[in-house]
Amino acid sequence: MALDPVAYRPYEDPDDFIREVTDRIWVGRDISYIVDNYEPDSIVHTSLGTVVGRDGVIEGSTMRMGSTPQHIGQAEDVVWEARGDDAFLSSHLVFSADEHLVDGKNVRIRKRTIPNCLYRRGRMVEEWVVRDELADCLQCGQDPDEAARALRFQGWTGSMLDAPPKDVLAEGVSGPRPDDYRPECEMVLEFIDEVWTQRRLQKVNDFMARDLFLHTIGDRTVIRPERYQRDLLAMVGPFPDARFEVRDVQTNYAERYAGLRVAVMWTMQGTYRGNPEFGPLTGRPVTVLGMSQFLIQGGRIVKEVRVYDEIALRAQINSTRSEGAGVDANIY
């Protein structure tokens, strides 16, 4: 699918566009550029809820920068794919290495963020963003439960409430997509269904290389199929009926990023009635918004980067308890 340069002007391509725009706002601190970059009625879905309108993005960005003045991040990967001839969807993996002042000492914080951004004719239309806030808590020495109690899950609106696409390889929540790298995409979708949802954990070896890497929340790296299985069981253990739904897919081949990557936006829906990892069980359903980027080589998955917000998940669980939890806060 040919992409008209109007989709990413004045930059070289969508990869360059995403890198430069993000640096201008978040490294150069040009918050006012959001006015030029986002549509007035743009929609941003975060792990704590949906922000509607550009003004909310400006306010949220101002608060986030003010709370982390030493923050700096850079693109670890940009998986972009056309959405028609004047738009693209990007999965932008951002790695940040910051210093926070905690009890008078500088503490180094490593974390990853993935925003999925739908740009049409060079303007942000809709965004889905997840951050590894667990890494922030653990490295600052903060109790994740305490951090979650300070937040309120405000709920989603718009596309987050729509049913998942019937054929996500034809059309994701961001719109119709090109039929690129179908065998690899089908392999990733089969992997998520069989291993993640159906818990056929022994089939990890059928889809993933022996020397696999999983970079996941809490700034953790998991290696080898056996440890991948254990990590997945720890993730779904509190939600034994967990089911995963894929809401969008994009692919991109680039040598600078080691080849073919398949980016997936997913939700996990489950009932908090299993292992009590997040306090007393509630028996109530929750939904987790997550992003994964899979690196494919030789027809197998050799690396996954998975990001979701466990602190927001804890806040969501708190919101299902009779006493409620948290206060209204910046959800961007």
Side-chain angles (χ1 to χ4, degrees), residues 23 30 62 83 120-121 139 172 210 252 267 306 326:
D23 263 26
D30 186 358
T62 301
R83 290 294 182 267
R120 189 169 303 281
R121 302 182 72 84
Q139 292 169 81
R210 183 200 65 184
N252 186 269
T267 54
R306 184 191 308 154

Side-chain angles (χ1 to χ4, degrees), residues 38 42-52 57 114-116 124-131 155-162 173 247 265 289 291 331-332:
Y38 282 67
S42 57
I43 300 170
V44 179
H45 308 284
T46 79
S47 297
L48 285 171
T50 300
V51 178
V52 178
V57 176
I114 300 182
N116 254 29
M124 176 78 79
V125 176
E126 192 164 5
E127 178 180 3
W128 301 260
V129 59
V130 289
R131 299 181 175 91
W156 291 298
T157 61
S159 67
M160 282 296 295
L161 300 181
D162 294 341
V173 293
R247 303 185 68 80
M265 178 166 66
L289 173 63
M291 311 282 187
I331 65 173
Y332 183 80

Side-chain angles (χ1 to χ4, degrees), residues 7-148:
Y8 49 83
R9 285 175 183 156
Y11 300 102
E12 179 180 344
D13 57 24
D15 186 303
D16 190 40
F17 180 103
I18 290 296
R19 288 169 170 269
E20 294 302 321
V21 165
T22 303
D23 263 26
R24 179 167 176 176
I25 296 172
W26 289 96
V27 178
R29 305 293 195 265
D30 186 358
I31 298 175
S32 67
Y33 187 60
I34 293 173
V35 174
D36 300 320
N37 192 243
Y38 282 67
E39 291 287 3
D41 59 352
S42 57
I43 300 170
V44 179
H45 308 284
T46 79
S47 297
L48 285 171
T50 300
V51 178
V52 178
R54 184 174 59 200
D55 290 346
V57 176
I58 293 172
E59 292 178 6
S61 300
T62 301
M63 294 168 64
R64 184 169 288 276
M65 288 185 198
S67 67
T68 55
Q70 303 301 319
H71 172 80
I72 188 168
Q74 71 176 34
E76 190 173 344
D77 204 332
V78 180
V79 184
W80 68 268
E81 189 176 78
R83 290 294 182 267
D85 61 4
D86 66 348
F88 66 89
L89 179 69
S90 66
S91 178
H92 180 196
L93 176 60
V94 180
F95 178 82
S96 58
D98 302 335
E99 288 191 356
H100 291 198
L101 191 64
V102 178
D103 296 330
K105 298 181 180 179
N106 283 326
V107 177
R108 293 182 177 179
I109 308 296
R110 294 162 37 99
K111 63 188 289 187
R112 288 180 170 90
T113 299
I114 300 182
N116 254 29
C117 301
L118 177 60
Y119 275 94
R120 189 169 303 281
R121 302 182 72 84
R123 303 272 287 182
M124 176 78 79
V125 176
E126 192 164 5
E127 178 180 3
W128 301 260
V129 59
V130 289
R131 299 181 175 91
D132 180 10
E133 299 293 5
L134 178 64
D136 210 310
C137 285
L138 295 179
Q139 292 169 81
C140 282
Q142 185 178 12
D143 181 355
D145 283 332
E146 180 181 345

